[in-house]
Amino acid sequence: MTSSSEQQAVGKPGAARGGASRVSLACLACRTRHIRCDATKPVCKRCEEDGKECNYTKSRRGGLDRAALAARRERLAKQSSSTSPREGSDSVGSENHQPLATEPDSSLPLLSECFTEVNGSFPGASYLETNSTDASILSSSDPGIDPFINVYYKCFHAFHPFVLPLHRLLHYAEDSTWSNRLKPVISCVRYIGALYARSGQSGQLAMQAVDDIIEAKAVLPTCPFLCQAQLLYSIVLFWSGSRPQALSYINDTVGIATALGMSRQDFAIANSDGDPVLAESWRRTWWQLYIVDSNYAAIRRDTDFLTRDVPATVDLPCEEREYNSGVIPTPSSLADFDTREFSSENHVYSSFAYLIGSTRGVAQILAATPPDKKTSPPIELVEAVDAMIDGWLLLLPECKRPLMSKDGEIDELLFYAHMGIHASIVGLHRPYSNLLFDPLEKISSCFVCPPESHAADESTVIHTMRCLASIEAQVRIMTLPKRPFCHSPFTLCMVTTGTIPFLSACKFLLTGSKLSIAREQIRLTIGCLKSLAEVWPQGEKTVKEIQAIAREVLGLGASIPSSKTMLPSDPSSGATSSQRSPLSQNGSQSSSIEDLLFPDTIDSLPSCWDMQNPQVDMNLWFASY
């Protein structure tokens, strides 16, 4: 990579060393060497002096012409007609699937198009007619006809949208000055697409992705595209069960991004070559790196992660429709977002920005009061996180509160944010609640530490209800009409964090018809996890863990030896409640907060809870259903 000053000279139109204006066109030789070019044709002055061949690339700003588009469609048709369905496919109606569109000027396809409406399954063999012996797709050098790339954009991109939109990715891939830099990104994109396609080529594509990353590290060790590739590959490793390797990749990526200055506000413009879409991609890359790094730490029950302590001034991402269309507005600043409660303009930020806000809020509070991972979080920390989450929800604009649009599309970034904050609520409040722990929960990959012994008091009621309400909120989100359940793989731990204490509620709190309802809801959550497990190997492990815990907690005749349940309140321990305090004096939160957090769920805590015999009156608690 070039130095910072050289990057700015190359990246900013009209800004060159010495204050001279920079021409918008440069020959291939000068662009490759990252030096100034006077753009004189047919031979520039520098090439004339150095005796080098001087060539200029043809502009592609208008996209492909009709002849090129027709040729691309013809190549795609030949590709799809030369392949056949995988043997042993259990999908229904595979003959109804058509080749994926690859026109670079088309808008991002709807995520729902990724799935088979016949049986609601993931886009497996019936979607891509490929098999492990067909090397034509594997060896294809044209991203425009690669169906795995299309599957990535249809099935994964919306969950972690930092790679360039499809039409811009193809544009840069066709430019010889950018294609080598993009190579590792395209390889990782293809690999993820193959995973969703359940292709037999995924193993080979994984090796190709690793090779391209290693090559890029040797040739372009400080390239922002390398950060994108390694971030993608880290996510795949993590949810394939290779957590140490995933953490190694993301730590290396953070090091590269920090050295480049990607967390600074000026980086995106200085390194975008005048393209606002590329600048937006750089901003998104840093924030996705922060979110993923933070989520890894949350799953490890660790408050310390590398990006937490990096000063960030990078602007916030725009809305997804703006990014995909290429019409990028003036970005909003992080400083303005952090003081939005004092603004009189009622500015609506992007869904990505609100996801960043929820992630940073929880991380900053946990960092300020780091809990011992082996004990319960301090009650002060729990209350601080509650205040942050309630504030985030209250300041969410009206237009951002529905997770599903009128067209039936789920806002994946807000879905991610809501699932995450409810998982945080459950994880922090459960140790102080009456949702009892079982030692077998330690087998869970998303294990929440059990509490220290302490006596029950009136705050136990509130903590229990807070947990139950967030669990119910997660269930309601998961019942949104989208099948199969296809969201970010990080949803696996978010769902698990709510499902395991729900098992405890089924055993110790719920009875009669309310228990039957809860059991059906648990079937829903396990079904959702199984859907994710069709793509991510860690999901299959998570499902087995929950099934084993459920058999133990519910006494379903598992072969696992029974274990003594761990109670959060143990009068015999002699512990006092002096270190704990209720969240409010009257035993309830503000009604506006509760209505926003858990609409139609909680009316009056004291009326449905007997403090002498801590047991929810579920007839009252579920009255609104």
Side-chain angles (χ1 to χ4, degrees):
M1 289 290 291
T2 58
S3 65
S4 176
S5 61
E6 289 174 331
Q7 287 175 342
Q8 293 178 4
V10 172
K12 286 187 178 180
R17 290 185 294 271
S21 61
R22 179 182 181 274
V23 295
S24 60
L25 181 65
C27 70
L28 288 175
C30 291
R31 291 176 67 178
T32 302
R33 296 159 62 191
H34 299 288
I35 57 178
R36 285 187 61 190
C37 179
D38 62 6
T40 303
K41 293 185 178 181
V43 180
C44 74
K45 183 177 180 180
R46 191 175 294 274
C47 287
E48 184 177 19
E49 292 175 350
D50 296 343
K52 293 183 175 295
E53 183 179 357
C54 189
N55 295 308
Y56 292 84
T57 57
K58 183 180 178 180
S59 173
R60 296 184 177 89
R61 292 187 179 273
L64 301 181
D65 57 24
R66 294 188 177 183
L69 287 174
R72 174 173 289 170
R73 295 191 194 100
E74 183 179 353
R75 291 197 304 271
L76 178 61
K78 290 180 179 179
Q79 178 67 65
S80 61
S81 63
S82 65
T83 57
S84 58
R86 287 197 304 168
E87 294 181 4
S89 171
D90 56 359
S91 300
V92 179
S94 60
E95 67 276 10
N96 294 328
H97 293 289
Q98 300 298 322
L100 299 173
T102 59
E103 298 182 13
D105 57 348
S106 62
S107 60
L108 189 69
L110 298 179
L111 189 65
S112 57
E113 294 176 6
C114 179
F115 308 118
T116 307
E117 295 183 359
V118 177
N119 63 358
S121 64
F122 274 95
S126 63
Y127 194 75
L128 285 181
E129 300 178 342
T130 63
N131 56 61
S132 58
T133 61
D134 181 11
S136 56
I137 293 180
L138 188 66
S139 60
S140 174
S141 60
D142 186 354
I145 64 171
D146 193 320
F148 292 140
I149 291 179
N150 288 271
V151 172
Y152 168 90
Y153 279 95
K154 286 178 179 288
C155 302
F156 182 83
H157 179 71
F159 312 147
H160 300 277
F162 60 95
V163 175
L164 285 165
L166 178 57
H167 65 283
R168 297 302 296 167
L169 183 80
L170 298 179
H171 169 82
Y172 279 104
E174 292 168 353
D175 189 327
S176 59
T177 61
W178 292 93
S179 58
N180 284 336
R181 305 183 211 178
L182 267 174
K183 190 176 179 182
V185 176
I186 291 176
S187 293
C188 290
V189 164
R190 297 180 73 208
Y191 175 34
I192 295 175
L195 291 176
Y196 275 90
R198 292 181 290 185
S199 169
Q201 298 181 6
S202 60
Q204 295 168 281
L205 289 171
M207 291 188 289
Q208 184 66 55
V210 173
D211 290 342
D212 289 342
I213 288 174
I214 292 174
E215 181 181 352
K217 285 177 69 68
V219 179
L220 299 168
T222 56
C223 177
F225 283 121
L226 178 60
C227 292
Q228 292 189 342
Q230 291 198 154
L231 178 55
L232 287 174
Y233 194 64
S234 175
I235 294 173
V236 174
L237 285 174
F238 194 89
W239 296 108
S240 297
S242 300
R243 290 189 176 183
Q245 294 90 333
L247 297 177
S248 176
Y249 265 95
I250 199 166
N251 290 342
D252 185 58
T253 305
V254 173
I256 297 173
T258 304
L260 284 170
M262 294 188 75
S263 61
R264 297 197 309 265
Q265 186 181 41
D266 61 349
F267 176 87
I269 298 300
N271 293 272
S272 61
D273 204 24
D275 182 359
V277 179
L278 185 59
E280 174 70 8
S281 180
W282 297 148
R283 289 189 286 268
R284 287 166 170 259
T285 300
W286 172 259
W287 286 122
Q288 275 292 327
L289 184 59
Y290 177 89
I291 290 169
V292 171
D293 195 23
S294 172
N295 277 258
Y296 285 169
I299 293 169
R300 302 194 313 269
R301 303 296 161 187
D302 195 351
T303 61
D304 190 20
F305 56 98
L306 293 177
T307 54
R308 189 197 71 183
D309 299 322
V310 178
T313 58
V314 59
D315 288 329
L316 298 173
C318 62
E319 293 285 10
E320 300 312 295
R321 65 179 181 276
E322 295 167 337
Y323 185 45
N324 295 324
S325 68
V327 181
I328 310 297
T330 301
S332 301
S333 72
L334 181 62
D336 288 342
F337 182 84
D338 284 341
T339 57
R340 64 192 183 282
E341 66 270 28
F342 304 117
S343 174
S344 59
E345 298 179 357
N346 295 321
H347 180 72
V348 177
Y349 293 87
S350 68
S351 297
F352 205 147
Y354 289 108
L355 170 59
I356 293 167
S358 65
T359 305
R360 287 179 71 245
V362 173
Q364 288 173 343
I365 293 172
L366 294 178
T369 315
D372 184 344
K373 290 185 287 184
K374 297 181 180 179
T375 61
S376 305
I379 190 64
E380 295 80 7
L381 182 147
V382 177
E383 293 173 343
V385 172
D386 279 346
M388 174 264 136
I389 290 175
D390 290 348
W392 183 89
L393 287 162
L394 283 172
L395 291 176
L396 201 61
E398 189 70 31
C399 63
K400 290 293 182 180
R401 294 181 184 178
L403 298 186
M404 178 168 278
S405 70
K406 295 180 180 179
D407 297 331
E409 285 298 301
I410 292 179
D411 188 324
E412 290 293 342
L413 298 179
L414 285 179
F415 180 97
Y416 192 116
H418 279 274
M419 291 296 290
I421 62 175
H422 288 303
S424 297
I425 290 172
V426 173
L428 290 170
H429 281 274
R430 189 188 177 193
Y432 293 95
S433 75
N434 273 297
L435 297 175
L436 312 182
F437 284 77
D438 189 284
L440 192 63
E441 293 182 24
K442 290 183 179 180
I443 70 172
S444 173
S445 305
C446 307
F447 173 62
V448 176
C449 292
E452 296 177 312
S453 296
H454 50 251
D457 60 19
E458 64 177 7
S459 69
T460 304
V461 179
I462 301 169
H463 294 298
T464 303
M465 298 305 296
R466 190 84 168 174
C467 282
L468 290 174
S470 276
I471 293 168
E472 288 290 333
Q474 280 194 336
V475 171
R476 286 197 298 275
I477 293 173
M478 287 187 282
T479 58
L480 290 173
K482 174 183 176 180
R483 292 295 177 267
F485 185 82
C486 181
H487 301 283
S488 167
F490 287 91
T491 310
L492 280 163
C493 267
M494 297 173 185
V495 174
T496 300
T497 301
T499 301
I500 293 178
F502 207 17
L503 295 170
S504 178
C506 286
K507 181 171 183 178
F508 297 106
L509 297 179
L510 309 183
T511 59
S513 61
K514 308 312 176 187
L515 174 60
S516 298
I517 292 173
R519 288 291 297 275
E520 293 297 336
Q521 291 173 328
I522 288 175
R523 290 187 181 98
L524 165 70
T525 62
I526 293 179
C528 291
L529 293 174
K530 284 187 173 182
S531 291
L532 293 173
E534 292 185 28
V535 176
W536 306 107
Q538 184 63 36
E540 183 177 358
K541 182 176 184 289
T542 300
V543 170
K544 291 180 179 178
E545 292 167 351
I546 292 180
Q547 289 172 334
I549 294 169
R551 289 193 296 266
E552 166 73 5
V553 172
L554 301 179
L556 301 178
S559 58
I560 301 174
S562 61
S563 53
K564 184 178 179 180
T565 300
M566 301 175 62
L567 306 179
S569 56
D570 184 2
S572 64
S573 68
T576 66
S577 60
S578 60
Q579 75 277 18
R580 299 189 294 135
S581 60
L583 298 183
S584 64
Q585 295 298 320
N586 61 4
S588 63
Q589 297 279 344
S590 165
S591 59
S592 60
I593 289 284
E594 295 298 353
D595 290 342
L596 187 58
L597 262 171
F598 326 112
D600 303 326
T601 299
I602 300 176
D603 289 325
S604 175
L605 294 179
S607 67
C608 61
W609 192 275
D610 182 356
M611 287 305 299
Q612 300 301 320
N613 178 26
Q615 173 74 30
V616 176
D617 183 342
M618 298 313 299
N619 291 325
L620 290 175
W621 196 75
F622 280 99
S624 61
Y625 279 80

